[in-house]
Amino acid sequence: MILSTKRTALKALLAAASLALLPLSSHAVDASSPDGLIRQLSIETIEAVKSDKAIQGGDVSKIVSLVDTKVMPHVNFQRMTSSAVGRFWRQASPEQQKRLQDEFKTLLMRTYAGALAQVKDQTIALKPLRASAEDTEVVVKTEVRGKGDPIQLDYRLEKAGAVWKIYDVNVLGIWLADQYRNSFAQEIGANGIDGLIKALADKNQKAAAGGKS
């Protein structure tokens, strides 16, 4: 069944990824440098999550609303979704592509809701950026530090005009898009693109009704 494997690993990935993808501050985010963007999002997120009991309690509607207004301007979500769908993305109609993005986003946000409840005393440390001024795609490497071993948390970013945007996240050596690609390909192979959309929608509806993720 779609997305039924590696569920624990995926939740761990999204728990860490959530730390730097939910900036709740009202201050404008400077996206003119890739490491500067990640640094600011990370700091604001850690501070906000620790002080927000609703987020810690897994308030899905609040998380989704904040992601829409604060995060999505800094994420190329179309590229993230197309990378997860892989070679089948070009076969999808514009309407199918939009539905895939919508359902994939809902899936991730509902997983974030549960993961954020686990955020307690973590901090994030950035590693030196290895990139030249001419690069238009870079990887920003960070570590989530708290109790236990540090968690590797890296970001792929692309330069879009004068600003940088996130298009993939890596935790402990696993890129988000790679995590889904095989299961998405299996579902499309068996039931087509509409089958994948339906599988994602069914999973989201089950989660909304209180089913297990």
Side-chain angles (χ1 to χ4, degrees):
M1 187 173 181
I2 186 171
L3 304 178
S4 61
T5 61
K6 299 183 180 178
R7 188 169 292 155
T8 301
L10 178 58
K11 285 188 175 181
L13 182 156
L14 291 174
S18 298
L19 293 174
L21 287 180
L22 284 175
L24 310 184
S25 170
S26 60
H27 299 298
V29 174
D30 181 6
S32 60
S33 69
D35 51 344
L37 171 63
I38 297 302
R39 180 182 294 105
Q40 188 171 354
L41 295 187
S42 300
I43 292 172
E44 292 180 3
T45 299
I46 290 292
E47 293 177 349
V49 170
K50 288 179 180 178
S51 64
D52 194 313
K53 292 183 179 179
I55 294 294
Q56 292 178 4
D59 187 328
V60 175
S61 62
K62 186 170 185 179
I63 293 171
V64 171
S65 176
L66 288 167
V67 169
D68 281 338
T69 57
K70 299 295 185 180
V71 178
M72 286 304 153
H74 305 290
V75 178
N76 184 342
F77 199 74
Q78 177 177 322
R79 181 168 180 178
M80 184 179 289
T81 307
S82 66
S83 183
V85 175
R87 67 184 186 279
F88 300 102
W89 180 256
R90 293 183 180 179
Q91 301 175 17
S93 67
E95 180 182 358
Q96 288 174 321
Q97 290 178 353
K98 182 180 185 305
R99 291 185 64 194
L100 283 168
Q101 288 184 70
D102 291 344
E103 296 297 345
F104 189 37
K105 175 182 172 183
T106 300
L107 175 71
L108 295 182
M109 292 307 99
R110 289 199 172 276
T111 306
Y112 287 153
L116 283 175
Q118 307 304 315
V119 175
K120 302 298 180 184
D121 300 317
Q122 290 88 344
T123 60
I124 293 183
L126 270 72
K127 297 182 178 181
L129 178 64
R130 296 181 177 179
S132 67
E134 295 78 23
D135 290 341
T136 57
E137 295 198 5
V138 301
V139 174
V140 175
K141 297 184 176 183
T142 77
E143 281 186 348
V144 180
R145 297 175 180 174
K147 294 182 179 179
D149 295 332
I151 298 172
Q152 172 191 344
L153 177 58
D154 302 336
Y155 301 86
R156 282 176 174 154
L157 297 96
E158 64 176 3
K159 194 169 188 179
V163 301
W164 290 87
K165 292 195 174 186
I166 300 163
Y167 68 90
D168 208 349
V169 181
N170 179 311
V171 177
L172 299 174
I174 303 173
W175 288 103
L176 178 63
D178 294 343
Q179 181 75 21
Y180 284 101
R181 191 173 296 116
N182 287 339
S183 61
F184 281 10
Q186 290 174 4
E187 185 66 37
I188 293 173
N191 300 302
I193 292 172
D194 284 336
L196 173 59
I197 293 171
K198 183 179 185 303
L200 291 171
D202 289 348
K203 186 173 182 66
N204 288 332
Q205 289 174 4
K206 180 180 178 181
K212 294 182 180 180
S213 59

